[in-house]
């Protein structure tokens, strides 16, 4: 096994101190161990986000430093499905914040949290915000499909609801990365979440009202979407677009301007 200079954990501590001086963007990937229908393995979110991040780190020319994958996420609403591992929101928030605080403590000033599991996002948004107000570092969070919306819309065949979970999108990318692990003969379309004017579920188009019911109330298989439309060709296009976008994001985030803070208390007192 080779030593990979873009992996945080492949450095010695003196090397890591040196890396901090170059100020690469530190990327923290997080996924889940969670049901993904009858056709995809429990590792889907972990495998997809790690593959995207590792390929982007390889291409980013030293500007991205990739941390170990956090393999578990917030899953209470999925716990009727065997194999799913649930981290309670307050634990996940504090755990992730401890990681970003540690990264900031070692002098890295730009941190991105790369998410592979939708229900982590409200928590990761808070982690990023708290990192900003509690450390000197700038921190943002994203879920991977958001980086390549136009490329995904180009290959998409399903209507609203077809891309939500174990769906046309996730199944396509998994087929591209490791087709033998996908049991396409068991892939079934299921879109049971009741749609209304204000509430629906789709990864590419959030509904006006945020609502997440317990999954077995609307999904028998664990699928929400249409995996029968998935192909490896679509997956290849989406994967390439997301990886390219992440490299661009890292380069932009590293150079993102940030103004000085101003504490107005002292000047207000003198006025
Ligand atoms: Zn997933």
């Amino acid at each position: 096994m080779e030593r990979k200079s873009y992996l945080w954990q492949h450095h010695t501590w003196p090397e890591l101190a040196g890396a901090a001086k170059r100020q690469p963007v530190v990327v923290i990937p997080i996924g889940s161990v969670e049901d993904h229908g009858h056709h995809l393995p429990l590792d889907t979110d972990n495998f997809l986000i790690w593959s995207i991040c590792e390929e982007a780190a390889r291409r980013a020319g030293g500007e991205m430093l990739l941390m170990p994958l956090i393999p578990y996420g917030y899953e209470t609403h999925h716990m009727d499905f065997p194999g799913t591992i649930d981290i309670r929101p307050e634990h996940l928030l504090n755990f992730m914040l401890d990681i970003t605080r540690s990264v900031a403590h070692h002098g890295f000033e730009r941190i991105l949290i790369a998410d592979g599991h939708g229900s982590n996002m409200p928590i990761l948004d808070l982690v990023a915000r708290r990192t900003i107000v509690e450390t000197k570092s700038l921190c943002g969070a994203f879920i991977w499909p958001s980086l390549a919306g136009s490329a995904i819309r180009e290959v998409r065949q399903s209507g609203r609801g077809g891309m939500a979970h174990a769906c046309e999108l996730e199944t396509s990318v998994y087929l591209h990365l490791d087709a033998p692990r996908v049991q396409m003969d068991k892939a079934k379309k299921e879109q049971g979440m009741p749609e209304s004017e204000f509430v629906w579920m789709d990864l590419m188009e959030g509904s006006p009202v945020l609502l997440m019911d317990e999954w077995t109330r609307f999904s028998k298989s664990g699928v929400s979407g249409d995996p029968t439309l998935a192909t490896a060709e679509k997956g290849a296009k989406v994967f390439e677009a997301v990886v390219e976008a992440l490299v661009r994001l890292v380069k932009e985030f590293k150079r993102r301007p940030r103004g000085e803070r101003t504490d107005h208390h002292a000047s207000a007192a003198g006025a």
Side-chain angles (χ1 to χ4, degrees):
M1 284 279 282
E2 58 179 318
R3 238 161 61 97
K4 295 173 179 169
S5 60
Y6 52 80
L7 294 184
W8 174 283
Q9 63 269 31
H10 279 199
H11 291 71
T12 63
W13 70 259
E15 288 167 349
L16 201 82
K21 294 199 179 74
R22 296 190 295 276
Q23 287 297 328
V25 174
V26 175
V27 174
I28 309 170
I30 175 167
S32 76
V33 172
E34 171 196 50
D35 63 281
H36 275 82
H38 293 244
H39 67 293
L40 286 176
L42 298 169
D43 79 345
T44 298
D45 291 344
N46 285 338
F47 181 50
L48 268 48
I49 193 63
W50 178 257
S51 301
I52 289 163
C53 286
E54 185 166 28
E55 183 56 23
R58 214 178 53 75
R59 297 185 196 180
E63 299 199 271
M64 172 170 163
L65 194 54
L66 181 59
M67 295 201 69
L69 172 77
I70 311 300
Y72 301 121
Y74 170 45
E75 296 285 353
T76 315
H77 48 304
H78 277 273
M79 287 303 280
D80 288 334
F81 294 104
T84 301
I85 303 298
D86 176 37
I87 307 298
R88 283 167 279 175
E90 62 274 25
H91 293 180
L92 188 61
L93 196 159
N94 285 319
F95 180 82
M96 291 299 292
L97 189 60
D98 283 351
I99 295 169
T100 60
R101 283 161 43 105
S102 299
V103 171
H105 176 79
H106 298 308
F108 295 91
E109 291 172 2
R110 302 284 153 124
I111 304 167
L112 283 173
I113 304 172
D115 186 24
H117 169 59
S119 295
N120 291 337
M121 276 313 290
I123 300 157
L124 300 178
D125 180 24
L126 286 174
V127 171
R129 287 162 177 252
R130 282 192 56 184
T131 302
I132 287 172
V133 296
E134 294 175 27
T135 76
K136 289 180 181 160
S137 300
L138 190 65
C139 182
F142 67 88
I143 184 160
W144 64 262
S146 305
L147 296 189
S150 52
I152 292 171
R153 274 184 280 276
E154 259 174 46
V155 301
R156 179 175 190 155
Q157 288 178 284
S158 60
R160 184 203 274 170
M163 288 186 168
H165 181 73
C167 54
E168 182 186 8
L169 182 63
E170 286 189 311
T171 308
S172 292
V173 178
Y174 211 126
L175 280 172
H176 163 60
L177 292 171
D178 198 347
R181 274 150 62 183
V182 183
Q183 303 177 57
M184 277 309 279
D185 55 317
K186 296 180 181 164
K188 281 209 184 83
K189 176 181 177 179
E190 190 175 4
Q191 291 176 203
M193 166 75 111
E195 280 213 23
S196 72
E197 183 185 351
F198 298 105
V199 181
W200 63 81
M201 183 159 55
D202 194 276
L203 267 173
M204 305 311 299
E205 187 193 350
S207 73
V209 173
L210 302 178
L211 185 153
M212 183 53 71
D213 210 341
E214 291 144 319
W215 266 62
T216 50
R217 294 187 189 276
F218 63 88
S219 175
K220 300 236 176 319
S221 65
V223 169
S224 188
D226 191 353
T228 66
L229 296 173
T231 67
E233 290 69 30
K234 286 182 193 173
K237 284 184 185 150
V238 169
F239 182 78
E240 187 58 29
V242 175
V243 168
E244 265 181 27
L246 179 50
V247 173
R248 290 202 309 279
L249 167 63
V250 161
K251 290 177 187 281
E252 174 206 281
F253 197 67
K254 181 177 160 69
R255 292 164 186 82
R256 184 176 176 76
R258 199 178 187 199
E260 292 294 318
R261 273 183 80 179
T262 307
D263 186 343
H264 288 293
H265 293 85
S267 56

